[in-house]
């Protein structure tokens, strides 16, 4: 096949490109330039897609012996990832920018351009597997190395995108093997640390960055009954589950600490309460998608609206939790989601989820298979107010 290898400048994507060549494919390497102002992206190992990373990718492509290009996706990245990040926080939600980058840049904008140019698939260095069932339907599964598994951040992929995706590292049992292979191939990135943190926040100060972009205004800190406990200097400075820095002047009756339970951007209020109130009995969202066949086509349910057993994962590195999921019709979900339209994916974990907030992504698994995902729009506390 004709393969476009997305080369971030890290060790994983370099080895993935090399393996695609060895598998007999015609491979072209491409690096995505995500900012026209290099100083706005981190350098070294803390971010990704920097000038240094572009040079690392170029050197790896030269060793592999494949054509290499840099594509400017900066405008699309700003609109679909950076601006979305600001908008989500402004609405009191907690977005995952890496998830959005995979969804809207690497497997939407990039894949769209690749297919238009005649490529059959895009290969990346993600740790995940694509498996075909007996009828040739493609399914997304966890990687062999669960410690490095990245299927969660790929949960946003659609059936059409899976048809044009390739993950050459999915069956590799450890990252150590990838580094050893990179060293044998002579890649300078063999021992390059993994990237982490948010690439478009230069100093890592997310709160300060948001305050500069959105502004900060003093508001009230409330308890679950609506009583005013104190003042804050900006709701965007808080995150769900936060304990420190609440600046509430007096202790609770039982002496237990308070935690941030809810952020209300429209009224600029922060709601705090006991740790137990962070437990959620249910999460739901109307923005959901399936990575392959949907639950009914897969045989997990016989008709729409039925519940099915699954596991839910709400963070990239959290453990999957046993749960029950179902699709509720629009009329059922409308009362709970406000202005949301359309059906709603409702996930009820067997044990409460802790510290999850709207804006996060809930990825649904059946065994090792990624069935689909939803952006959490509403949550139900396992401990009602006043209890």
């Amino acid at each position: 096949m004709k393969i476009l290898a997305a080369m971030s400048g890290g060790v994983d994507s370099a080895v993935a490109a090399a393996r695609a060549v060895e598998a007999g494919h015609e491979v072209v390497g491409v690096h995505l330039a995500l900012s026209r102002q290099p100083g706005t992206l981190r350098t070294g190992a803390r971010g990704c897609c920097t000038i240094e990373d572009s040079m690392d990718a170029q050197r790896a492509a030269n060793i592999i012996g494949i054509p290499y290009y840099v594509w400017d996706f900066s405008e699309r990245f700003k609109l679909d990832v950076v601006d979305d990040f600001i908008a989500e926080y402004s609405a009191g939600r907690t977005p995952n920018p890496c998830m959005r980058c995979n969804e809207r840049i690497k497997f939407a904008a990039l894949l769209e351009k690749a297919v238009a140019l005649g490529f059959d698939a895009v290969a990346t260095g993600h740790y995940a597997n694509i498996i075909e069932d007996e009828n040739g339907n493609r399914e997304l599964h966890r990687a062999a190395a669960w410690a490095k598994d990245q299927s969660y951040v790929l949960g946003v992929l659609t059936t059409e995108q899976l048809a044009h995706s390739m993950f050459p590292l999915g069956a590799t049992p450890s990252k150590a093997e990838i580094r050893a292979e990179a060293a044998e191939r002579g890649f300078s990135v063999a021992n390059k640390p993994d990237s982490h943190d948010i690439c478009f926040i230069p100093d890592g100060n997310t709160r300060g960055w948001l305050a500069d972009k959105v502004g900060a205004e003093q508001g009230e800190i409330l308890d679950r009954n609506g009583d005013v406990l104190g003042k804050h200097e900006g709701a965007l400075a808080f995150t769900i589950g936060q304990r420190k820095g609440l600046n509430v002047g007096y202790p609770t009756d039982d002496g237990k600490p308070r935690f941030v339970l809810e952020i209300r951007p429209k009224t600029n209020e922060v709601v705090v309460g006991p740790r137990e109130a962070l437990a959620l009995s249910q999460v739901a969202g109307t923005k959901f998608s399936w990575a392959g066949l949907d639950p009914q086509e897969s045989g997990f349910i016989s008709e729409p609206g039925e519940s099915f057993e699954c596991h839910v994962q709400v963070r990239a590195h959290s453990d999957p939790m046993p749960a029950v999921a179902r699709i509720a019709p629009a009329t059922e979900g409308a009362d709970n989601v406000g202005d949301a339209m359309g059906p709603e994916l409702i996930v009820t974990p067997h044990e409460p989820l802790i510290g999850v907030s709207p804006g996060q992504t809930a990825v649904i698994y059946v065994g090792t298979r990624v069935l689909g995902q939803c952006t959490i729009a509403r949550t139900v506390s396992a401990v009602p107010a006043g209890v």
Side-chain angles (χ1 to χ4, degrees):
M1 294 191 297
K2 189 175 181 181
I3 302 298
L4 185 70
M7 303 183 70
S8 66
V11 61
D12 295 324
S13 60
V15 172
R19 288 186 176 184
V21 171
E22 289 187 349
H25 302 297
E26 178 186 349
V27 180
V28 174
V30 63
H31 178 83
L32 303 184
L34 301 182
S35 175
R36 295 182 180 178
Q37 298 176 309
T40 63
L41 294 181
R42 293 188 176 189
T43 59
R46 296 185 63 83
C48 62
C49 302
T50 65
I51 291 176
E52 294 95 327
D53 292 321
S54 175
M55 295 176 179
D56 287 338
Q58 172 79 77
R59 283 188 284 268
N62 290 344
I63 292 174
I64 299 170
I66 59 175
Y68 172 81
Y69 300 92
V70 176
W71 287 357
D72 182 2
F73 274 36
S74 57
E75 290 186 10
R76 185 74 180 261
F77 182 78
K78 180 183 182 301
L79 178 64
D80 288 347
V81 180
V82 180
D83 290 352
D84 174 80
F85 184 81
I86 295 171
E88 286 293 284
Y89 259 104
S90 298
R93 296 184 287 266
T94 305
N96 183 326
C98 293
M99 184 79 77
R100 291 292 170 266
C101 186
N102 279 328
E103 175 188 12
R104 300 175 182 179
I105 304 299
K106 295 176 183 175
F107 293 98
L110 175 62
L111 188 56
E112 179 181 316
K113 185 172 182 177
V115 172
L117 290 174
F119 289 92
D120 299 300
V122 168
T124 73
H126 288 97
Y127 288 78
N129 280 312
I130 295 176
I131 299 174
E132 290 190 1
D133 67 13
E134 61 274 12
N135 297 315
N137 298 306
R138 297 193 119 201
E139 299 175 350
L140 179 63
H141 285 255
R142 289 190 184 276
W146 274 49
K148 282 295 296 179
D149 173 62
Q150 293 174 303
S151 61
Y152 173 84
V153 297
L154 298 174
V156 292
L157 297 188
T158 65
T159 304
E160 178 64 20
Q161 290 167 340
L162 280 180
H164 298 284
S165 299
M166 177 184 291
F167 307 120
L169 308 188
T172 306
S174 73
K175 180 65 174 273
E177 290 194 21
I178 295 298
R179 293 195 181 281
E181 181 177 334
E184 290 176 2
R185 294 180 183 276
F187 295 160
S188 62
V189 295
N191 295 310
K192 184 177 181 178
D194 293 339
S195 61
H196 60 278
D197 296 331
I198 301 174
C199 67
F200 53 83
I201 300 181
D203 60 2
N205 181 6
T206 302
R207 295 180 186 177
W209 188 87
L210 284 168
D212 179 62
K213 299 294 183 181
V214 181
E217 183 179 348
Q218 190 179 78
E220 294 179 334
I221 299 176
L222 312 176
D223 64 16
R224 302 182 79 197
N225 297 317
D227 295 328
V228 178
L229 302 179
K231 299 284 186 179
H232 65 74
E233 298 302 320
L236 294 183
F238 297 90
T239 56
I240 302 297
Q242 180 178 333
R243 174 183 174 183
K244 297 181 179 180
L246 300 185
N247 297 321
V248 176
Y250 51 93
T252 57
D253 293 338
D254 57 11
K256 294 183 179 180
R258 298 182 177 93
F259 296 80
V260 174
L261 305 179
E262 184 183 355
I263 299 168
R264 299 172 178 171
K266 291 183 180 179
T267 57
N268 197 29
E269 296 171 331
V270 175
V271 180
V272 299
R275 187 181 189 281
E276 307 86 73
L278 288 170
L280 301 178
S281 61
Q282 193 176 89
V283 297
T286 56
K287 295 180 180 179
F288 60 87
S289 63
W290 307 115
L293 298 180
D294 66 31
Q296 188 169 355
E297 294 170 326
S298 299
F300 300 135
I301 59 176
S302 57
E303 59 183 44
E306 285 186 345
S307 298
F308 60 93
E309 292 288 334
C310 63
H311 281 74
V312 59
Q313 188 170 329
V314 293
R315 299 180 184 85
H317 303 294
S318 66
D319 293 327
M321 302 288 289
V324 173
R326 68 185 179 93
I327 302 297
T331 53
E332 181 179 340
D335 292 338
N336 298 316
V337 190
D339 60 355
M341 301 294 290
E344 183 183 36
L345 175 60
I346 299 176
V347 184
T348 305
H350 293 336
E351 295 183 5
L353 300 172
I354 304 297
V356 180
S357 62
Q360 289 181 232
T361 302
V363 175
I364 306 301
Y365 291 83
V366 176
T368 62
R369 179 186 167 189
V370 178
L371 184 61
Q373 62 81 37
C374 76
T375 299
I376 297 172
R378 68 176 181 91
T379 61
V380 177
S381 176
V383 183
V387 176

